[in-house]
């Protein structure tokens, strides 16, 4: 039985192709179950996110990659043909290595992003609940999740913000630490403002307000976020005065410098202004006001560049972790490969032992027969134990001087025995 | 026994300081063992000082070395109180290192004094309290000054918009809370110190220079009270409050280096 992976991701296929293959969250389990029911695959795992649709199977079939891709395309009729260059097909260790890279964020569109870890975990849970998982994929998923966790805690692969929104979050952290009980105001409802609002909505305990010239658009954004209040720009001065963080992402300069001075003179606590506008929304002189901290696009881009550089620098460390975990997984997988041979060896030996023991003990009293049985069992187990453990170790470590399961089968003629 | 304990404590503080600094470098929270070993070290330090006091039948800060060791104890104990009150545990490294340094400098003197036989000179309890409270308030002023300086550095960086190479745990708001609590602790400790100082200054045979020391205590009290009020009522003016904290710490260093020897010489 071998491990196989087929699918598409953002590196091979553009968005319009990926969206044709994307599966709704509720459909993943049903698709996995249907592919599993086709019988050619013993185990099935399906990962479907905005950046990838990937199918992992454990199957004894010789052309499992083709079967997997055909099965996947059968489920998504609008997907491009299998002959196109959009699909990735991998097998064995390469496929396992790939999933470990995916969970670590090395295959993500944004290097080191953390969402993928949750998406792999969710896919694992779905497959478990759909009963399409077996030992090979279950172990691989756990290895991938463990690798992802190690990569994120032991290296800087996920540190720092790599978008303006997450950089703004970083700035908020530097000024306020925790935001519980504080207010964040986002001015604007365009693309940049939406991105910033999405990041800021994750601040635990903070109240989010969105103010926009067209109130309806602010309401739409708030509804989309599922949190916050929507306002128009009519009482902007008051909203800014009541906020701890104000993120400006509008085309115009909605707050004159004099108004800002007036706001500051009445404040008790510092005010963090994040200007995401181009041209800038806030007069740079605001930086000279006491208790005002102003960050514009240039500052945030410095942070993004720093975070990206730090993440790129962490890639070799993550790859070392992946290699370590992959080695462990392969060791387990190979050891598992030796198990049927060891079982056959024990079965063959037990058959002989039982025959000989029955023959030798046929005229003996029952008590002596039991002793003979016990002694011969122990003898066989002790004689085979060392050979079995060396084969298991040989399979796990791939050491040339240790016997492989094939050696064992050959030496003891296990194949002939099984055939007979 | 007391001297041995006070010497051993250096290793405890040094290892905890290293753990805190390493955790901060790795952008992680301080390890659990360090957060347990730190307070345990303070308890051991206190036990050492108490043993020293019992052994000699006097205060545990009778000599300059002992006073330094007591100051280190006070410094780290106050920091732990702040950590407990504010629940900010990111800055222990610097404080544990300072305590390590002070305790290490004190060790040779403490060991040397341990060889000397105890004297039968009766202890002046009021003076003992005055010195003890003085050392505790000195530690509080130093802690608030260090936190004030850290706030000013963070303020400068945030104001310039340069927060690259950030370290996890650093936030202006965090420094503000720590410095505010440190200022309040300083006020609480300086009030009784000032009252006893006035009492001693007005008593017969008060050493020369004590008046100056009392005056300095009053100024320190005023400075810390002002700093605390600003931190509390006008956090927007945090920079001013931090500057006042730093000024108080500088003043306390001047008192240690210049005024304290004058008082000792006056008493002699």
């Amino acid at each position: 039985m071998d491990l196989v992976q087929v699918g598409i991701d953002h590196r091979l296929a553009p968005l319009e192709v990926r969206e044709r293959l994307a599966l709704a969250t509720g459909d993943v389990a049903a698709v996995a179950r249907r592919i599993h029911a086709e019988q050619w695959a013993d185990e099935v795992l399906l990962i479907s996110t905005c950046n990838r649709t990937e199918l992992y199977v454990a199957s004894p079939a010789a052309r499992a990659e083709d079967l997997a891709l055909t099965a996947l395309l059968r489920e998504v009729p609008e997907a491009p043909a299998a002959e196109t260059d959009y699909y990735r097909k991998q097998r064995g260790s390469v496929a396992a290595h790939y999933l470990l890279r995916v969970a670590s964020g090395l295959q993500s569109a944004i290097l080191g992003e953390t969402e993928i870890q949750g998406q792999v975990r969710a896919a694992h849970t779905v497959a478990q609940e759909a009963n399409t998982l077996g030992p090979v994929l279950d172990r691989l998923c756990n290895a991938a999740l463990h690798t992802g966790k190690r990569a994120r805690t032991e290296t800087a692969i996920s540190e720092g913000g790599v978008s303006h929104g997450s950089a703004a979050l970083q700035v908020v952290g530097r000024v306020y630490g925790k935001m519980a009980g504080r207010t964040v105001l986002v001015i604007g409802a365009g693309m940049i403002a939406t991105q910033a609002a999405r990041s800021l909505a994750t601040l635990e305990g903070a109240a989010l307000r969105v103010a926009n010239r067209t109130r309806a658009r602010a309401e739409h954004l708030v509804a989309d976020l599922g949190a916050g209040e929507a306002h128009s720009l009519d009482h902007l001065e008051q909203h800014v005065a009541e906020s701890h963080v104000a993120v400006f992402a509008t085309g115009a300069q909605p707050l004159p410098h004099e108004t800002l001075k007036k706001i500051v003179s009445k404040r008790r606590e510092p005010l963090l202004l994040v200007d995401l506008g181009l041209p800038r929304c806030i007069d740079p002189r605001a930086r000279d006001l006491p208790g005002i901290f102003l960050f514009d696009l240039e500052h945030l881009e410095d942070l993004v560049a720093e975070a990206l550089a730090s993440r790129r620098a962490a890639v070799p460390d993550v790859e070392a972790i992946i290699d370590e975990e992959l080695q462990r997984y392969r060791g387990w997988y190979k050891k598992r490969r030796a198990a049927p041979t060891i079982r056959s060896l024990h079965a063959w030996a037990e058959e002989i032992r039982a025959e000989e023991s029955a023959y030798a003990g046929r005229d003996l009293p029952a008590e002596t027969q039991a002793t003979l049985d016990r002694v011969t069992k122990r003898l066989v187990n002790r004689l085979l134990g060392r050979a079995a453990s060396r084969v298991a170790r040989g399979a796990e470590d791939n050491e040339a001087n240790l016997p492989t399961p094939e050696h064992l089968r050959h030496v003891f003629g296990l194949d002939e025995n099984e055939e007979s | 026994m007391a001297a041995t304990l006070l010497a051993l404590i250096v290793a405890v503080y040094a290892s905890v300081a290293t753990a805190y600094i390493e955790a901060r470098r790795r952008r992680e929270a301080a390890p659990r063992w360090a957060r347990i070993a730190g307070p345990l070290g303070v308890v051991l330090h206190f036990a050492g000082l108490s043993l020293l006091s019992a052994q000699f039948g006097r205060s545990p800060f009778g000599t300059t070395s002992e006073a330094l060791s007591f100051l280190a104890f006070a410094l780290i104990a106050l920091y732990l109180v702040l950590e407990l009150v504010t629940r900010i545990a990111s800055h222990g490294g610097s404080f544990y290192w300072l305590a390590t340094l002070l305790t290490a400098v004190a060790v040779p003197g403490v060991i040397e004094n341990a060889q000397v036989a105890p004297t039968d000179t009766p202890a002046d309890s009021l003076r003992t309290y005055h010195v003890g409270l003085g050392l505790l308030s000195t530690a509080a002023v130093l802690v608030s000054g260090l936190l004030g300086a850290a706030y000013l550095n963070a303020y400068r960086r945030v104001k310039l918009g340069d927060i690259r190479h950030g370290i996890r745990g650093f936030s202006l708001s965090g420094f503000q809370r720590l410095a505010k609590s440190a200022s309040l602790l300083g006020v609480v400790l300086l009030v009784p110190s000032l009252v006893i100082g006035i009492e001693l200054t007005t008593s017969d045979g008060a050493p020369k220079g004590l008046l100056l020391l009392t005056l300095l205590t009053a100024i320190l009290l005023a400075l810390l009270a002002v700093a605390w009020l600003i931190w509390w009522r006008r956090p927007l003016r945090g920079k001013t409050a931090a500057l006042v904290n730093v000024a108080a710490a500088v003043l306390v260093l001047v008192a240690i280096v210049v005024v304290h020897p004058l008082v000792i010489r006056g008493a002699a």
Side-chain angles (χ1 to χ4, degrees):
Chain A
M1 185 160 67
D2 214 349
L3 175 72
V4 158
Q5 180 268 332
V6 295
I8 58 160
D9 70 0
H10 62 95
R11 293 192 184 181
L12 294 178
L15 184 62
E16 57 270 22
V17 174
R18 294 201 309 271
E19 68 187 359
R20 276 150 63 189
L21 252 100
L23 295 166
T25 318
D27 297 341
V28 173
V31 170
R33 237 183 258 124
R34 277 199 292 275
I35 295 174
H36 191 243
E38 289 175 17
Q39 306 268 311
W40 57 269
D42 292 345
E43 303 177 32
V44 176
L45 171 83
L46 195 53
I47 300 176
S48 180
T49 71
C50 52
N51 280 325
R52 62 190 71 248
T53 301
E54 286 166 352
L55 176 67
Y56 294 81
V57 296
S59 166
R63 296 186 58 79
E65 300 102 305
D66 297 335
L67 289 172
L69 190 53
T70 312
L72 185 64
L73 299 188
R74 201 180 301 125
E75 293 292 337
V76 196
E78 51 286 22
E83 296 73 38
T84 53
D85 294 335
Y86 296 131
Y87 300 101
R88 178 181 275 120
K89 288 195 259 180
Q90 297 175 124
R91 202 180 175 93
S93 289
V94 181
H97 183 251
Y98 179 77
L99 183 60
L100 266 52
R101 282 182 67 87
V102 167
S104 306
L106 294 191
Q107 293 291 130
S108 297
I110 298 168
L111 184 67
E113 56 104 358
T114 51
E115 264 179 50
I116 187 67
Q117 175 88 351
Q119 288 162 339
V120 172
R121 186 176 290 114
H124 183 216
T125 312
V126 167
Q128 268 176 334
E129 285 169 2
N131 281 325
T132 60
L133 271 197
V136 173
L137 284 179
D138 186 49
R139 179 86 179 201
L140 179 64
C141 269
N142 284 323
L145 291 170
H146 182 63
T147 307
K149 190 176 174 190
R150 277 191 66 194
R152 286 176 182 88
T153 50
E154 293 175 25
T155 74
I157 195 68
S158 296
E159 273 182 15
V162 287
S163 66
H164 290 143
S166 47
L169 261 187
Q170 209 178 330
V171 172
V172 171
R174 287 288 170 264
V175 175
Y176 286 110
K178 288 178 182 161
M179 280 295 288
R182 294 191 164 112
T183 306
V184 179
L185 174 68
V186 176
I187 299 127
M191 201 174 72
I192 303 268
T194 305
Q195 193 197 40
R198 266 188 219 294
S199 292
L200 295 165
T202 60
L203 285 168
E204 219 170 288
L208 179 69
R209 287 177 181 178
V210 178
N212 191 45
R213 186 163 288 112
T214 325
R215 193 191 156 119
R217 286 193 68 191
E219 279 168 356
H220 180 72
L221 176 55
V222 163
D224 195 31
L225 293 172
E229 292 169 20
H231 298 275
S232 67
L233 292 184
D234 294 347
H235 304 287
L236 185 64
E237 189 182 328
Q238 185 199 334
H239 291 315
V240 172
E242 287 168 2
S243 302
H244 296 88
V245 178
V247 180
F248 289 77
T250 51
Q253 203 174 71
L255 220 55
H257 186 63
E258 293 310 312
T259 316
L260 210 51
K261 266 168 92 174
K262 206 169 88 186
I263 290 171
V264 171
S265 66
K266 290 177 192 165
R267 284 182 73 86
R268 266 193 62 191
E269 287 199 79
L271 174 64
L272 170 61
L273 301 174
V274 181
D275 186 352
L276 299 176
L278 201 69
R280 286 179 285 185
C281 306
I282 302 165
D283 190 326
R285 284 178 298 165
R287 193 169 285 121
D288 301 331
L289 298 172
I292 289 262
F293 303 111
L294 173 61
F295 286 79
D296 57 29
L297 273 177
E298 205 170 8
H299 296 122
L300 299 186
E301 270 153 18
D302 281 350
L303 285 175
V304 170
E306 189 202 21
L308 272 174
S310 140
R311 286 183 181 200
R312 272 189 218 112
V315 170
D317 293 339
V318 176
E319 278 171 344
I321 292 173
I322 291 173
D323 287 345
E324 205 179 294
E325 294 297 331
L326 183 67
Q327 204 62 29
R328 200 167 291 160
Y329 174 75
R330 286 176 65 183
W332 171 84
Y333 188 79
K334 284 178 183 168
K335 200 171 175 177
R336 200 181 159 275
R337 199 167 60 89
T341 304
I342 293 168
R343 264 200 306 275
S344 293
L345 178 66
H346 275 279
W348 169 72
E350 173 60 21
E351 199 182 307
I352 295 172
R353 186 207 66 77
E355 270 176 32
E356 292 301 319
S357 174
Y359 180 73
R362 64 189 184 283
D363 298 327
L364 298 173
E367 201 177 314
T368 317
Q369 269 185 22
T371 310
L372 185 66
D373 247 16
R374 206 168 46 244
V375 168
T376 50
K377 265 185 192 166
R378 282 188 60 188
L379 194 67
V380 166
N381 283 341
R382 286 192 65 183
L383 283 171
L384 296 185
R386 187 175 290 177
S389 89
R390 284 174 71 81
V391 167
R393 204 150 55 87
E396 184 181 353
D397 300 344
N398 221 7
E399 274 186 41
N401 56 348
L402 287 174
T404 62
E406 286 71 32
H407 288 141
L408 205 65
R409 301 189 83 83
H410 184 66
V411 167
F412 287 98
L414 296 178
D415 294 325
E416 295 158 27
N417 187 52
E418 278 164 11
E419 278 164 23
S420 69
Chain B
M1 175 67 178
T4 315
L5 207 56
L6 291 177
L8 277 176
I9 215 71
V10 179
V12 179
Y13 286 158
S15 43
V16 174
T18 313
Y20 264 83
I21 288 170
E22 179 57 18
R24 208 167 128 150
R25 195 186 65 79
R26 291 163 65 109
R27 304 178 185 203
E28 291 169 359
R32 195 177 153 78
W33 73 262
R35 280 187 281 166
I36 295 170
L40 204 70
V42 174
V43 172
L44 283 177
H45 202 157
F46 182 73
L49 291 168
S50 305
L51 274 173
L52 192 77
S53 182
Q55 190 180 333
F56 290 98
R58 58 169 172 77
S59 70
F61 32 77
T63 65
T64 310
S65 306
E66 289 169 12
L68 268 181
S69 189
F70 187 86
L71 183 66
F73 158 75
L75 201 75
I76 210 70
L78 289 176
Y79 170 73
L80 285 177
V81 170
L82 289 179
E83 200 178 276
L84 201 72
V85 169
T86 59
R87 302 209 170 271
I88 299 170
S90 318
H91 313 292
S94 329
F95 288 98
Y96 276 110
W97 264 124
L98 192 57
T100 308
L101 192 74
L102 289 174
T103 324
V105 169
V107 166
V110 170
I111 292 173
E112 202 177 308
N113 290 337
Q115 321 296 327
V116 181
T119 55
D120 293 332
T121 321
D124 180 345
S125 58
L126 198 60
R127 186 164 294 175
T128 303
Y129 281 125
H130 184 234
V131 177
L133 276 167
L135 285 168
L136 278 171
S137 352
T138 299
V141 177
L142 284 177
V143 169
S144 71
L146 286 171
L147 290 167
Y151 177 90
L152 285 175
N153 179 42
Y155 182 92
R156 185 185 57 83
R157 286 181 62 187
V158 177
K159 199 72 177 158
L160 290 173
D162 178 20
I163 58 164
R164 285 174 303 164
H165 319 296
I167 295 161
R168 190 174 143 177
F170 135 61
S171 83
L172 261 186
S173 179
F175 280 132
Q176 176 205 316
R177 275 159 60 207
L178 281 165
K180 182 176 85 175
S181 304
S183 306
L184 181 62
L185 260 177
V187 170
V188 169
L189 291 166
L190 278 165
V191 169
S193 179
L194 179 64
V195 171
I196 300 174
I198 293 168
E199 178 73 26
L200 283 173
T201 312
T202 51
S203 66
D204 292 339
K208 285 178 190 170
L210 188 60
L211 179 66
L212 188 57
L213 204 60
T214 310
L215 198 67
L216 271 173
T217 310
I219 296 171
L220 283 173
L221 176 62
L223 284 175
L224 283 207
V226 167
W228 175 67
L229 273 171
I230 300 175
W231 284 123
W232 180 41
R233 300 298 303 168
R234 299 283 292 173
L236 196 71
R237 305 275 170 188
K239 194 179 162 190
T240 313
L243 277 170
V244 175
N245 281 131
V246 173
V250 170
L251 200 62
V252 106
L253 287 174
V254 170
I256 292 170
V257 177
V258 182
V259 185
H260 190 253
L262 281 178
V263 179
I264 301 284
R265 238 176 281 152

